[in-house]
Structures are given as C-alpha cells and as structure tokens.
Amino acid sequence: MQFVFDDTQLGHRPTGFLVRGCMKPVPEVPARAEILRDAALAAGHRIVKPATDSTKLRARLHTADYLAFLETGWSRWQELPDASPEMIPNVHPDRRDAPYPGAIVGQAGFHMADTAAPLAGDSWPAIAASADSAAHAARLVLDGMGTVYALCRPPGHHAFADQAGGFCYLNNSAIAAEALRQSHARVAILDVDLHHGNGTQGIFWRRGDVLTLSIHADPSAFYPFFWGYADERGEGDGTGLNRNYPLPLGTGDDVFLAALDDALVALREHQPGALVVALGFDAHESDPFAAFRVTTGGYGEIGRRIAALGLPTVLVQEGGYVSPDLGSSLAAFLAGFPI
C-alpha cells in the first residue's frame, strides 16, 4: 500500500494545553508521526510525498475568515505586547452570531474551541501539508489505487468549518471525502478514533451526500462533551446521515467490534462509492488517554472488517499517541488490506 506523508508535518511543535485547569504537555507531538511512518515502512508499505494542493478543497469546507486566521494569526499574535510564544485563547464567545471581532485576541477565542489547538510559528506549514496528504491520498484512490493511507499530522476530525480544537485545525477526513465526491455521488466517513469526530459531524450535518459514522467514548463523560450523542442524526438533507455510537469508558474489543458491525450495516445501506476511515489508535489499551481497552489484535480485526467492504478507501490518521503499541497497532490494522 502507498502512504502519504511530508516531513513538513513534523514542524508543528505545540508545547502546552490546559487539563483540569493545569498546563500539561501536548501529547500530539512529532514523534507519534515518526513512529507511525517507521511502522508503515517496516510493514512494507511505500511512502510518497503529497503532490496535491488542497487549497481549493479547504475553501469548500472551511470559511475564508478561518483559513486566514490559521495562516496569519500567529504572526499577528506576536505583534501584541507581552504575547506568549504560542497563540492560545483566553476568551470564548457565548454566541457565534455576534459581529466578527477585528482583534486577534477575539478571533482566537472565536476560532479555537479549547486550549488544545495552540498555534506556533511553524504550525501553518505543517497543517497545510497534513491537509495536502489527505487530498493526495484521495487523488491516488480516484486514480485507481484501492486503498491509500494518509499519515496526517496534525489530525483533523475535531475541526469545524470555522473552529479548531482537540489538536485539530483543518478537517483532513472531510477534505478526503470532498475530494472523493468529485467522482462518487455518495461517500461515507467511518470514524474509529477514541473521541467523537465532532468537526466532521458539523461540516456534513446538513448534507445528503456524505454519511458520517463515529464510534467513540460516551461524551457525557469524555471529550468533546457537547457532541457525539446517539440522538444526533443530522438536519435538512442530512437527516439520518449522521450516526453516533457512544460507548462506555473501559470498552474493549468485543463491545467495540459489535458497534463497528452496527455501523457497517448503516454504511452498506448508504451504498457509498468510496469510504474515508478516520483512523485513531487512541482507543488502544496502552494509549496515554487510557479510556478504552482495544487490543492490537482488535485493531487487526477492525481493519479486516473494513477492508472486507471492498470499497475504494482513504485511511486518514487521526489520534493515537506515543505508546509501546502505537506502531504495531497501525501495522495490524493495515495488514487487513491488500498491500
């Protein structure tokens, strides 16, 4: 299998975010991409550098104000007196229909859902390269490759049309789906990350062409808290095309795979022409988030069941943090697909 990755993605190096009111190190570090890259290479997969510009795809999914904020916000932040080296919001609106603020401090609050998506000097090139990787993987699939893995870092499934959060800035899975829509009337996104793909849900909430499915930890007790409940089904043309499968903390292989089987039934009913898998390994029992108990073998079975669909598929890396089993989880998952 080919996988897409650009070393530019390693340049994003955020340092801290708030956890229960305390500043903690950001776990979304360059090392996790290096571990995944090396594991894919060791398993015999072939690396390619993205040669597709995702600019037009980004503009279809994200607002112009938000894209300008991501690209220029950090340099404007640095012009402030006594500014921190990373842009982290200190105010959030309680309404989003107010006039758009002109000050960068106000824009940071408007466009950043939490403190877990800080922006530093080298962030934007890495964010753009991550989106380019997703777009290029989709292009390879459209050109006839059955399955392609996009090693996207930073991840993207918490990013809304105009808002970053949860280590995510541009919604790479949505970008891949939008690219696939150029040749397929219906596309599905299946999110198997530990956390709900709230940004992906928001982007396609009213669209009738993209089915969004997310298997994740119950948001009543876990991030992102405000999205991901089973009764969220979409609106307008998207009614019924959003399906959430919240699972209790401590979920292991059997419960996760049962939810996956339910999601695959809904996916087959949609009859998509192509599939995007928002691929997270943070449900693994050894992941630092320690919320689920999925095993490496469990990830192998998840991969086999998805591969059995036989759909043109883009695998987009989302979460999964530095642990002894991160690389082996990827290798096990990819083993279910033709190499």
Side-chain angles (χ1 to χ4, degrees):
M1 182 190 303
Q2 288 199 3
F3 74 98
V4 187
F5 180 70
D6 186 339
D7 283 346
T8 304
Q9 295 168 235
L10 301 175
H12 174 60
R13 297 175 179 270
T15 59
F17 75 121
L18 289 175
V19 179
R20 293 183 287 277
C22 300
M23 189 62 74
K24 299 289 186 180
V26 174
E28 204 292 284
V29 293
R32 60 183 292 268
E34 294 172 322
I35 291 169
L36 293 166
R37 177 199 61 198
D38 293 348
L41 288 171
H45 303 287
R46 303 171 301 282
I47 190 169
V48 295
K49 188 173 181 177
T52 300
D53 185 346
S54 63
T55 300
K56 291 183 179 180
L57 292 167
R58 297 176 222 157
R60 293 179 193 169
L61 300 169
H62 295 285
T63 66
D65 285 339
Y66 179 56
L67 292 171
F69 167 79
L70 289 178
E71 186 169 3
T72 68
W74 180 81
S75 60
R76 294 173 56 209
W77 182 269
Q78 295 308 303
E79 295 172 358
L80 299 173
D82 300 320
S84 61
E86 295 178 337
M87 180 164 56
I88 301 175
N90 59 280
V91 60
H92 295 282
D94 66 352
R95 50 180 290 199
R96 293 183 62 78
D97 58 348
Y100 185 67
I104 188 60
V105 173
Q107 290 178 8
F110 186 87
H111 289 304
M112 303 170 97
D114 50 45
T115 67
L119 283 166
D122 292 327
S123 294
W124 172 246
I127 293 165
S130 185
D132 289 348
S133 292
H136 190 63
R139 171 48 50 197
L140 292 174
V141 169
L142 289 173
D143 288 344
M145 293 189 180
T147 304
V148 178
Y149 170 48
L151 177 42
C152 293
R153 189 266 161 185
H157 71 152
H158 295 308
F160 286 83
D162 64 353
Q163 199 169 47
F167 316 138
C168 299
Y169 305 86
L170 295 175
N171 197 306
N172 303 313
S173 291
I175 286 168
E178 188 71 11
L180 293 173
R181 276 285 292 111
Q182 296 173 23
S183 295
H184 298 282
R186 290 187 300 277
V187 172
I189 300 175
L190 172 61
D191 192 324
V192 296
D193 188 274
L194 172 65
H195 305 84
H196 175 245
N198 54 328
T200 310
Q201 172 176 295
I203 286 173
F204 295 109
W205 185 249
R206 295 180 177 274
R207 284 180 51 169
D209 56 340
V210 178
L211 172 70
T212 53
L213 307 156
S214 182
I215 305 168
H216 52 268
D218 186 345
S220 68
F222 204 70
Y223 187 92
F225 299 109
F226 307 107
W227 305 270
Y229 296 89
D231 61 354
E232 298 166 4
R233 299 296 296 270
E235 294 181 357
D237 291 343
T239 300
L241 293 182
N242 185 81
R243 306 286 183 89
N244 290 323
Y245 303 85
L247 303 177
L249 298 182
T251 284
D253 291 349
D254 290 346
V255 173
F256 195 100
L257 289 168
L260 175 64
D261 286 342
D262 288 345
L264 295 180
V265 170
L267 194 154
R268 291 186 180 97
E269 290 175 350
H270 184 63
Q271 297 183 327
L275 172 66
V276 175
V277 179
L279 179 58
F281 295 112
D282 40 0
H284 195 281
E285 59 185 352
S286 69
D287 188 86
F289 277 103
F292 276 7
R293 296 291 180 266
V294 177
T295 66
T296 302
Y299 273 110
E301 184 59 28
I302 293 168
R304 284 189 288 274
R305 295 188 190 189
I306 294 172
L309 295 168
L311 289 169
T313 301
V314 180
L315 308 172
V316 176
Q317 187 63 51
E318 297 290 355
Y321 302 94
V322 175
S323 77
D325 300 294
L326 178 58
S328 59
S329 295
L330 173 64
F333 180 90
L334 294 180
F337 294 84
I339 196 166

